[in-house]
Amino acid sequence: MSYFTIKDEVSSKFEERKSIFIGHAKRVYNEEEAKAFINKIRNEHKEATHNVYAYVIGENFGIQRYSDDGEPQGTAGVPVLEVIKKNSVTDIAVVVTRYFGGVLLGAGGLVRAYSKGAAMAIKDAGIVEKVKGCRLDITADYDLLGKIQYVCSQKSWYIENVEYFDKVKITTYCEISSITEIKSNITETTSGRAVMSTSEEGYYFKLENRLFKEC
C-alpha cells in the first residue's frame, strides 16, 4: 500500500485585487503537529486579517479538519480542504493567510483565492509517494559483486551502500511488494550463494527508484 504527501515546508505568496494571500504547507503526522504549525503561522502573521487552514492526516485520510477563520462560511476552509483532497495528499497541513487590501472579493472570488493559495503551496512543496518498504542486506563473495550490481542496474533497484569486509555487504531499500522478485533474481544471479536479510520495515519516501526514511 502507498499514499502521497508533500516533501517540503513552504510558503507561496500572491496578490489578488490588493489583498495579499500567502499559502503555507507542511507535512505533519498527527493533530498536535498540525495545530502547532497553524499556531506558528498565526503568531508569525498576527496582523493578518485571516489565517484560514485545513489539514488531512492518516494514510486513509481519516482525519480532516478546516476553519474559515472569520471568512464567510464555505468560502475559505472548505476550498483549501478540497484542494488537498483533489491532490490526493495526506499528512499535510495548509494555512492560507490573507492581508485584506480594501477591495471585497465576493464569495466566488474568495473561493478562487483560497483555492489558489492552497494549490500553489502544495505544488511548491512537492508531492512525494510513501510506500511500505524495508532494508535488504545482501552478503556475498567478492566475485559476485559485479553480477549483483548488474542485475540491480537492469531492474532499476537502487544500491544504497556497499561495504567491504571478508565478503561484500550490499544494502538497498526495497518496496515490500518487490522483495520476493528481488530475492528470486539475486538467488538466480548468484546461484544461491548470496545471503539476504531484511529489517527496518515501515513507510519510506519514494523518489524515482530510490527509497528514503526522510526527504
PDB file of all heavy atoms in Angstrom, residues 136-140 144 147-152 157 159 170 172 179-196:
ATOM      1  N   LEU A 136      17.119  -4.207   2.771  1.00  0.00           N
ATOM      2  CA  LEU A 136      17.576  -5.526   2.337  1.00  0.00           C
ATOM      3  C   LEU A 136      19.099  -5.531   2.309  1.00  0.00           C
ATOM      4  O   LEU A 136      19.719  -4.726   1.603  1.00  0.00           O
ATOM      5  CB  LEU A 136      17.032  -5.866   0.947  1.00  0.00           C
ATOM      6  CG  LEU A 136      17.557  -7.160   0.310  1.00  0.00           C
ATOM      7  CD1 LEU A 136      17.116  -8.376   1.117  1.00  0.00           C
ATOM      8  CD2 LEU A 136      17.088  -7.282  -1.138  1.00  0.00           C
ATOM      9  N   ASP A 137      19.706  -6.412   3.093  1.00  0.00           N
ATOM     10  CA  ASP A 137      21.151  -6.581   3.097  1.00  0.00           C
ATOM     11  C   ASP A 137      21.511  -7.867   2.362  1.00  0.00           C
ATOM     12  O   ASP A 137      20.940  -8.927   2.638  1.00  0.00           O
ATOM     13  CB  ASP A 137      21.686  -6.644   4.529  1.00  0.00           C
ATOM     14  CG  ASP A 137      21.608  -5.299   5.228  1.00  0.00           C
ATOM     15  OD1 ASP A 137      22.018  -4.296   4.619  1.00  0.00           O
ATOM     16  OD2 ASP A 137      21.119  -5.241   6.373  1.00  0.00           O
ATOM     17  N   ILE A 138      22.454  -7.754   1.438  1.00  0.00           N
ATOM     18  CA  ILE A 138      22.910  -8.897   0.646  1.00  0.00           C
ATOM     19  C   ILE A 138      24.396  -9.113   0.922  1.00  0.00           C
ATOM     20  O   ILE A 138      25.202  -8.210   0.706  1.00  0.00           O
ATOM     21  CB  ILE A 138      22.698  -8.646  -0.865  1.00  0.00           C
ATOM     22  CG1 ILE A 138      21.241  -8.257  -1.149  1.00  0.00           C
ATOM     23  CG2 ILE A 138      23.113  -9.865  -1.681  1.00  0.00           C
ATOM     24  CD1 ILE A 138      21.031  -7.647  -2.527  1.00  0.00           C
ATOM     25  N   THR A 139      24.751 -10.273   1.413  1.00  0.00           N
ATOM     26  CA  THR A 139      26.152 -10.602   1.691  1.00  0.00           C
ATOM     27  C   THR A 139      26.607 -11.677   0.719  1.00  0.00           C
ATOM     28  O   THR A 139      25.941 -12.706   0.551  1.00  0.00           O
ATOM     29  CB  THR A 139      26.316 -11.098   3.142  1.00  0.00           C
ATOM     30  OG1 THR A 139      25.831 -10.098   4.036  1.00  0.00           O
ATOM     31  CG2 THR A 139      27.788 -11.358   3.447  1.00  0.00           C
ATOM     32  N   ALA A 140      27.743 -11.431   0.070  1.00  0.00           N
ATOM     33  CA  ALA A 140      28.215 -12.375  -0.954  1.00  0.00           C
ATOM     34  C   ALA A 140      29.732 -12.279  -1.110  1.00  0.00           C
ATOM     35  O   ALA A 140      30.363 -11.335  -0.634  1.00  0.00           O
ATOM     36  CB  ALA A 140      27.528 -12.084  -2.284  1.00  0.00           C
ATOM     37  N   LEU A 144      31.029 -12.048  -6.828  1.00  0.00           N
ATOM     38  CA  LEU A 144      29.611 -11.925  -7.200  1.00  0.00           C
ATOM     39  C   LEU A 144      29.139 -10.469  -7.229  1.00  0.00           C
ATOM     40  O   LEU A 144      28.027 -10.188  -7.682  1.00  0.00           O
ATOM     41  CB  LEU A 144      28.739 -12.713  -6.218  1.00  0.00           C
ATOM     42  CG  LEU A 144      28.963 -14.234  -6.198  1.00  0.00           C
ATOM     43  CD1 LEU A 144      28.161 -14.866  -5.073  1.00  0.00           C
ATOM     44  CD2 LEU A 144      28.575 -14.849  -7.543  1.00  0.00           C
ATOM     45  N   LYS A 147      28.025  -9.073 -10.665  1.00  0.00           N
ATOM     46  CA  LYS A 147      26.770  -9.671 -11.130  1.00  0.00           C
ATOM     47  C   LYS A 147      25.562  -9.059 -10.408  1.00  0.00           C
ATOM     48  O   LYS A 147      24.527  -8.785 -11.025  1.00  0.00           O
ATOM     49  CB  LYS A 147      26.793 -11.180 -10.914  1.00  0.00           C
ATOM     50  CG  LYS A 147      27.799 -11.926 -11.783  1.00  0.00           C
ATOM     51  CD  LYS A 147      27.747 -13.427 -11.524  1.00  0.00           C
ATOM     52  CE  LYS A 147      28.714 -14.178 -12.422  1.00  0.00           C
ATOM     53  NZ  LYS A 147      28.664 -15.640 -12.189  1.00  0.00           N
ATOM     54  N   ILE A 148      25.706  -8.872  -9.102  1.00  0.00           N
ATOM     55  CA  ILE A 148      24.614  -8.296  -8.321  1.00  0.00           C
ATOM     56  C   ILE A 148      24.369  -6.844  -8.738  1.00  0.00           C
ATOM     57  O   ILE A 148      23.218  -6.414  -8.919  1.00  0.00           O
ATOM     58  CB  ILE A 148      24.917  -8.393  -6.813  1.00  0.00           C
ATOM     59  CG1 ILE A 148      24.972  -9.853  -6.374  1.00  0.00           C
ATOM     60  CG2 ILE A 148      23.870  -7.639  -5.999  1.00  0.00           C
ATOM     61  CD1 ILE A 148      25.472 -10.060  -4.961  1.00  0.00           C
ATOM     62  N   GLN A 149      25.432  -6.090  -8.907  1.00  0.00           N
ATOM     63  CA  GLN A 149      25.292  -4.704  -9.351  1.00  0.00           C
ATOM     64  C   GLN A 149      24.632  -4.623 -10.723  1.00  0.00           C
ATOM     65  O   GLN A 149      23.809  -3.733 -10.985  1.00  0.00           O
ATOM     66  CB  GLN A 149      26.662  -4.021  -9.379  1.00  0.00           C
ATOM     67  CG  GLN A 149      27.248  -3.758  -7.998  1.00  0.00           C
ATOM     68  CD  GLN A 149      28.658  -3.208  -8.054  1.00  0.00           C
ATOM     69  OE1 GLN A 149      29.459  -3.624  -8.898  1.00  0.00           O
ATOM     70  NE2 GLN A 149      28.970  -2.274  -7.167  1.00  0.00           N
ATOM     71  N   TYR A 150      24.974  -5.560 -11.596  1.00  0.00           N
ATOM     72  CA  TYR A 150      24.407  -5.556 -12.948  1.00  0.00           C
ATOM     73  C   TYR A 150      22.901  -5.813 -12.920  1.00  0.00           C
ATOM     74  O   TYR A 150      22.129  -5.079 -13.550  1.00  0.00           O
ATOM     75  CB  TYR A 150      25.094  -6.608 -13.817  1.00  0.00           C
ATOM     76  CG  TYR A 150      24.503  -6.708 -15.216  1.00  0.00           C
ATOM     77  CD1 TYR A 150      24.815  -5.758 -16.180  1.00  0.00           C
ATOM     78  CD2 TYR A 150      23.625  -7.737 -15.552  1.00  0.00           C
ATOM     79  CE1 TYR A 150      24.265  -5.824 -17.456  1.00  0.00           C
ATOM     80  CE2 TYR A 150      23.078  -7.817 -16.821  1.00  0.00           C
ATOM     81  CZ  TYR A 150      23.396  -6.857 -17.772  1.00  0.00           C
ATOM     82  OH  TYR A 150      22.839  -6.925 -19.029  1.00  0.00           O
ATOM     83  N   VAL A 151      22.482  -6.843 -12.187  1.00  0.00           N
ATOM     84  CA  VAL A 151      21.054  -7.157 -12.168  1.00  0.00           C
ATOM     85  C   VAL A 151      20.264  -6.046 -11.484  1.00  0.00           C
ATOM     86  O   VAL A 151      19.148  -5.716 -11.904  1.00  0.00           O
ATOM     87  CB  VAL A 151      20.785  -8.528 -11.496  1.00  0.00           C
ATOM     88  CG1 VAL A 151      20.989  -8.488  -9.983  1.00  0.00           C
ATOM     89  CG2 VAL A 151      19.356  -8.997 -11.810  1.00  0.00           C
ATOM     90  N   CYS A 152      20.852  -5.411 -10.458  1.00  0.00           N
ATOM     91  CA  CYS A 152      20.175  -4.289  -9.806  1.00  0.00           C
ATOM     92  C   CYS A 152      20.032  -3.107 -10.768  1.00  0.00           C
ATOM     93  O   CYS A 152      18.996  -2.438 -10.813  1.00  0.00           O
ATOM     94  CB  CYS A 152      20.933  -3.858  -8.550  1.00  0.00           C
ATOM     95  SG  CYS A 152      20.781  -5.018  -7.164  1.00  0.00           S
ATOM     96  N   TRP A 157      16.932  -1.202  -9.394  1.00  0.00           N
ATOM     97  CA  TRP A 157      16.936  -1.328  -7.928  1.00  0.00           C
ATOM     98  C   TRP A 157      18.142  -0.566  -7.419  1.00  0.00           C
ATOM     99  O   TRP A 157      19.287  -0.920  -7.723  1.00  0.00           O
ATOM    100  CB  TRP A 157      16.997  -2.790  -7.502  1.00  0.00           C
ATOM    101  CG  TRP A 157      15.801  -3.593  -7.945  1.00  0.00           C
ATOM    102  CD1 TRP A 157      14.529  -3.157  -8.109  1.00  0.00           C
ATOM    103  CD2 TRP A 157      15.786  -4.982  -8.299  1.00  0.00           C
ATOM    104  NE1 TRP A 157      13.707  -4.171  -8.533  1.00  0.00           N
ATOM    105  CE2 TRP A 157      14.455  -5.312  -8.666  1.00  0.00           C
ATOM    106  CE3 TRP A 157      16.765  -5.989  -8.332  1.00  0.00           C
ATOM    107  CZ2 TRP A 157      14.076  -6.590  -9.061  1.00  0.00           C
ATOM    108  CZ3 TRP A 157      16.387  -7.268  -8.728  1.00  0.00           C
ATOM    109  CH2 TRP A 157      15.057  -7.559  -9.083  1.00  0.00           C
ATOM    110  N   ILE A 159      21.114   0.680  -5.314  1.00  0.00           N
ATOM    111  CA  ILE A 159      22.027   0.196  -4.273  1.00  0.00           C
ATOM    112  C   ILE A 159      22.439   1.386  -3.410  1.00  0.00           C
ATOM    113  O   ILE A 159      23.036   2.344  -3.890  1.00  0.00           O
ATOM    114  CB  ILE A 159      23.271  -0.487  -4.885  1.00  0.00           C
ATOM    115  CG1 ILE A 159      22.854  -1.796  -5.588  1.00  0.00           C
ATOM    116  CG2 ILE A 159      24.318  -0.773  -3.801  1.00  0.00           C
ATOM    117  CD1 ILE A 159      23.999  -2.502  -6.279  1.00  0.00           C
ATOM    118  N   ILE A 170      25.969  -5.575   0.569  1.00  0.00           N
ATOM    119  CA  ILE A 170      25.256  -4.613  -0.259  1.00  0.00           C
ATOM    120  C   ILE A 170      23.944  -4.265   0.433  1.00  0.00           C
ATOM    121  O   ILE A 170      23.188  -5.161   0.826  1.00  0.00           O
ATOM    122  CB  ILE A 170      24.972  -5.197  -1.659  1.00  0.00           C
ATOM    123  CG1 ILE A 170      26.296  -5.569  -2.334  1.00  0.00           C
ATOM    124  CG2 ILE A 170      24.183  -4.225  -2.511  1.00  0.00           C
ATOM    125  CD1 ILE A 170      26.125  -6.508  -3.500  1.00  0.00           C
ATOM    126  N   THR A 172      20.305  -2.134   0.219  1.00  0.00           N
ATOM    127  CA  THR A 172      19.329  -1.428  -0.589  1.00  0.00           C
ATOM    128  C   THR A 172      18.024  -1.346   0.194  1.00  0.00           C
ATOM    129  O   THR A 172      17.798  -2.117   1.121  1.00  0.00           O
ATOM    130  CB  THR A 172      19.098  -2.129  -1.944  1.00  0.00           C
ATOM    131  OG1 THR A 172      18.165  -1.374  -2.724  1.00  0.00           O
ATOM    132  CG2 THR A 172      18.569  -3.539  -1.757  1.00  0.00           C
ATOM    133  N   ILE A 179      10.008  -7.440  -2.781  1.00  0.00           N
ATOM    134  CA  ILE A 179      11.002  -8.256  -2.090  1.00  0.00           C
ATOM    135  C   ILE A 179      11.134  -9.654  -2.683  1.00  0.00           C
ATOM    136  O   ILE A 179      12.242 -10.152  -2.924  1.00  0.00           O
ATOM    137  CB  ILE A 179      10.685  -8.345  -0.583  1.00  0.00           C
ATOM    138  CG1 ILE A 179      11.099  -7.044   0.098  1.00  0.00           C
ATOM    139  CG2 ILE A 179      11.411  -9.500   0.076  1.00  0.00           C
ATOM    140  CD1 ILE A 179      12.591  -6.792   0.095  1.00  0.00           C
ATOM    141  N   THR A 180      10.020 -10.309  -2.928  1.00  0.00           N
ATOM    142  CA  THR A 180      10.061 -11.669  -3.467  1.00  0.00           C
ATOM    143  C   THR A 180      10.777 -11.702  -4.810  1.00  0.00           C
ATOM    144  O   THR A 180      11.633 -12.563  -5.063  1.00  0.00           O
ATOM    145  CB  THR A 180       8.646 -12.237  -3.618  1.00  0.00           C
ATOM    146  OG1 THR A 180       8.014 -12.279  -2.328  1.00  0.00           O
ATOM    147  CG2 THR A 180       8.689 -13.650  -4.189  1.00  0.00           C
ATOM    148  N   GLU A 181      10.459 -10.745  -5.686  1.00  0.00           N
ATOM    149  CA  GLU A 181      11.102 -10.677  -7.010  1.00  0.00           C
ATOM    150  C   GLU A 181      12.596 -10.417  -6.885  1.00  0.00           C
ATOM    151  O   GLU A 181      13.418 -11.042  -7.576  1.00  0.00           O
ATOM    152  CB  GLU A 181      10.457  -9.570  -7.843  1.00  0.00           C
ATOM    153  CG  GLU A 181      11.078  -9.420  -9.229  1.00  0.00           C
ATOM    154  CD  GLU A 181      10.594  -8.193  -9.968  1.00  0.00           C
ATOM    155  OE1 GLU A 181       9.766  -7.443  -9.410  1.00  0.00           O
ATOM    156  OE2 GLU A 181      11.061  -7.977 -11.103  1.00  0.00           O
ATOM    157  N   ILE A 182      12.966  -9.485  -5.998  1.00  0.00           N
ATOM    158  CA  ILE A 182      14.381  -9.147  -5.833  1.00  0.00           C
ATOM    159  C   ILE A 182      15.168 -10.348  -5.320  1.00  0.00           C
ATOM    160  O   ILE A 182      16.226 -10.696  -5.860  1.00  0.00           O
ATOM    161  CB  ILE A 182      14.539  -7.949  -4.875  1.00  0.00           C
ATOM    162  CG1 ILE A 182      13.926  -6.697  -5.504  1.00  0.00           C
ATOM    163  CG2 ILE A 182      16.020  -7.714  -4.543  1.00  0.00           C
ATOM    164  CD1 ILE A 182      13.833  -5.511  -4.563  1.00  0.00           C
ATOM    165  N   LYS A 183      14.660 -10.992  -4.286  1.00  0.00           N
ATOM    166  CA  LYS A 183      15.361 -12.149  -3.724  1.00  0.00           C
ATOM    167  C   LYS A 183      15.500 -13.267  -4.750  1.00  0.00           C
ATOM    168  O   LYS A 183      16.540 -13.911  -4.848  1.00  0.00           O
ATOM    169  CB  LYS A 183      14.609 -12.657  -2.483  1.00  0.00           C
ATOM    170  CG  LYS A 183      14.794 -11.787  -1.255  1.00  0.00           C
ATOM    171  CD  LYS A 183      14.116 -12.427  -0.042  1.00  0.00           C
ATOM    172  CE  LYS A 183      14.425 -11.670   1.226  1.00  0.00           C
ATOM    173  NZ  LYS A 183      13.791 -12.284   2.418  1.00  0.00           N
ATOM    174  N   SER A 184      14.447 -13.465  -5.532  1.00  0.00           N
ATOM    175  CA  SER A 184      14.482 -14.508  -6.554  1.00  0.00           C
ATOM    176  C   SER A 184      15.556 -14.222  -7.595  1.00  0.00           C
ATOM    177  O   SER A 184      16.318 -15.120  -7.994  1.00  0.00           O
ATOM    178  CB  SER A 184      13.105 -14.626  -7.228  1.00  0.00           C
ATOM    179  OG  SER A 184      13.137 -15.565  -8.270  1.00  0.00           O
ATOM    180  N   ASN A 185      15.631 -12.962  -8.048  1.00  0.00           N
ATOM    181  CA  ASN A 185      16.630 -12.584  -9.053  1.00  0.00           C
ATOM    182  C   ASN A 185      18.048 -12.678  -8.504  1.00  0.00           C
ATOM    183  O   ASN A 185      18.962 -13.130  -9.211  1.00  0.00           O
ATOM    184  CB  ASN A 185      16.348 -11.163  -9.549  1.00  0.00           C
ATOM    185  CG  ASN A 185      15.336 -11.103 -10.671  1.00  0.00           C
ATOM    186  OD1 ASN A 185      15.695 -11.105 -11.848  1.00  0.00           O
ATOM    187  ND2 ASN A 185      14.063 -11.064 -10.314  1.00  0.00           N
ATOM    188  N   ILE A 186      18.243 -12.251  -7.268  1.00  0.00           N
ATOM    189  CA  ILE A 186      19.581 -12.314  -6.665  1.00  0.00           C
ATOM    190  C   ILE A 186      20.002 -13.766  -6.476  1.00  0.00           C
ATOM    191  O   ILE A 186      21.157 -14.147  -6.738  1.00  0.00           O
ATOM    192  CB  ILE A 186      19.618 -11.559  -5.321  1.00  0.00           C
ATOM    193  CG1 ILE A 186      19.330 -10.068  -5.526  1.00  0.00           C
ATOM    194  CG2 ILE A 186      20.969 -11.754  -4.632  1.00  0.00           C
ATOM    195  CD1 ILE A 186      20.314  -9.345  -6.402  1.00  0.00           C
ATOM    196  N   THR A 187      19.063 -14.589  -6.032  1.00  0.00           N
ATOM    197  CA  THR A 187      19.360 -16.021  -5.851  1.00  0.00           C
ATOM    198  C   THR A 187      19.761 -16.656  -7.171  1.00  0.00           C
ATOM    199  O   THR A 187      20.739 -17.414  -7.257  1.00  0.00           O
ATOM    200  CB  THR A 187      18.140 -16.750  -5.262  1.00  0.00           C
ATOM    201  OG1 THR A 187      17.858 -16.203  -3.966  1.00  0.00           O
ATOM    202  CG2 THR A 187      18.410 -18.237  -5.120  1.00  0.00           C
ATOM    203  N   GLU A 188      19.009 -16.343  -8.228  1.00  0.00           N
ATOM    204  CA  GLU A 188      19.305 -16.905  -9.552  1.00  0.00           C
ATOM    205  C   GLU A 188      20.652 -16.396 -10.072  1.00  0.00           C
ATOM    206  O   GLU A 188      21.463 -17.167 -10.599  1.00  0.00           O
ATOM    207  CB  GLU A 188      18.195 -16.533 -10.533  1.00  0.00           C
ATOM    208  CG  GLU A 188      18.391 -17.097 -11.928  1.00  0.00           C
ATOM    209  CD  GLU A 188      17.260 -16.716 -12.870  1.00  0.00           C
ATOM    210  OE1 GLU A 188      16.213 -16.223 -12.394  1.00  0.00           O
ATOM    211  OE2 GLU A 188      17.434 -16.897 -14.090  1.00  0.00           O
ATOM    212  N   THR A 189      20.898 -15.086  -9.904  1.00  0.00           N
ATOM    213  CA  THR A 189      22.138 -14.472 -10.394  1.00  0.00           C
ATOM    214  C   THR A 189      23.370 -15.044  -9.709  1.00  0.00           C
ATOM    215  O   THR A 189      24.435 -15.207 -10.332  1.00  0.00           O
ATOM    216  CB  THR A 189      22.082 -12.948 -10.197  1.00  0.00           C
ATOM    217  OG1 THR A 189      20.982 -12.420 -10.955  1.00  0.00           O
ATOM    218  CG2 THR A 189      23.375 -12.276 -10.653  1.00  0.00           C
ATOM    219  N   THR A 190      23.237 -15.325  -8.421  1.00  0.00           N
ATOM    220  CA  THR A 190      24.400 -15.792  -7.641  1.00  0.00           C
ATOM    221  C   THR A 190      24.410 -17.300  -7.450  1.00  0.00           C
ATOM    222  O   THR A 190      25.236 -17.824  -6.698  1.00  0.00           O
ATOM    223  CB  THR A 190      24.401 -15.119  -6.257  1.00  0.00           C
ATOM    224  OG1 THR A 190      23.212 -15.519  -5.528  1.00  0.00           O
ATOM    225  CG2 THR A 190      24.445 -13.605  -6.377  1.00  0.00           C
ATOM    226  N   SER A 191      23.480 -17.997  -8.111  1.00  0.00           N
ATOM    227  CA  SER A 191      23.351 -19.457  -7.959  1.00  0.00           C
ATOM    228  C   SER A 191      23.181 -19.850  -6.492  1.00  0.00           C
ATOM    229  O   SER A 191      23.739 -20.839  -6.009  1.00  0.00           O
ATOM    230  CB  SER A 191      24.575 -20.163  -8.562  1.00  0.00           C
ATOM    231  OG  SER A 191      24.691 -19.861  -9.928  1.00  0.00           O
ATOM    232  N   GLY A 192      22.450 -19.014  -5.775  1.00  0.00           N
ATOM    233  CA  GLY A 192      22.148 -19.310  -4.380  1.00  0.00           C
ATOM    234  C   GLY A 192      23.266 -19.042  -3.403  1.00  0.00           C
ATOM    235  O   GLY A 192      23.192 -19.454  -2.236  1.00  0.00           O
ATOM    236  N   ARG A 193      24.302 -18.338  -3.818  1.00  0.00           N
ATOM    237  CA  ARG A 193      25.476 -18.118  -2.961  1.00  0.00           C
ATOM    238  C   ARG A 193      25.408 -16.815  -2.159  1.00  0.00           C
ATOM    239  O   ARG A 193      26.321 -16.516  -1.388  1.00  0.00           O
ATOM    240  CB  ARG A 193      26.745 -18.135  -3.811  1.00  0.00           C
ATOM    241  CG  ARG A 193      27.054 -19.507  -4.436  1.00  0.00           C
ATOM    242  CD  ARG A 193      28.130 -19.400  -5.503  1.00  0.00           C
ATOM    243  NE  ARG A 193      29.359 -18.774  -4.980  1.00  0.00           N
ATOM    244  CZ  ARG A 193      30.250 -18.158  -5.743  1.00  0.00           C
ATOM    245  NH1 ARG A 193      30.052 -18.074  -7.059  1.00  0.00           N
ATOM    246  NH2 ARG A 193      31.341 -17.641  -5.211  1.00  0.00           N
ATOM    247  N   ALA A 194      24.347 -16.058  -2.316  1.00  0.00           N
ATOM    248  CA  ALA A 194      24.200 -14.812  -1.562  1.00  0.00           C
ATOM    249  C   ALA A 194      23.291 -15.046  -0.355  1.00  0.00           C
ATOM    250  O   ALA A 194      22.305 -15.785  -0.435  1.00  0.00           O
ATOM    251  CB  ALA A 194      23.614 -13.715  -2.443  1.00  0.00           C
ATOM    252  N   VAL A 195      23.632 -14.396   0.739  1.00  0.00           N
ATOM    253  CA  VAL A 195      22.799 -14.450   1.949  1.00  0.00           C
ATOM    254  C   VAL A 195      22.050 -13.127   2.057  1.00  0.00           C
ATOM    255  O   VAL A 195      22.661 -12.051   2.012  1.00  0.00           O
ATOM    256  CB  VAL A 195      23.661 -14.681   3.203  1.00  0.00           C
ATOM    257  CG1 VAL A 195      22.790 -14.641   4.456  1.00  0.00           C
ATOM    258  CG2 VAL A 195      24.399 -16.006   3.103  1.00  0.00           C
ATOM    259  N   MET A 196      20.735 -13.202   2.221  1.00  0.00           N
ATOM    260  CA  MET A 196      19.915 -11.989   2.268  1.00  0.00           C
ATOM    261  C   MET A 196      19.115 -11.915   3.559  1.00  0.00           C
ATOM    262  O   MET A 196      18.622 -12.919   4.050  1.00  0.00           O
ATOM    263  CB  MET A 196      18.966 -11.951   1.064  1.00  0.00           C
ATOM    264  CG  MET A 196      19.677 -11.711  -0.256  1.00  0.00           C
ATOM    265  SD  MET A 196      18.592 -11.901  -1.695  1.00  0.00           S
ATOM    266  CE  MET A 196      18.609 -13.700  -1.894  1.00  0.00           C
TER     267      MET A 196
END
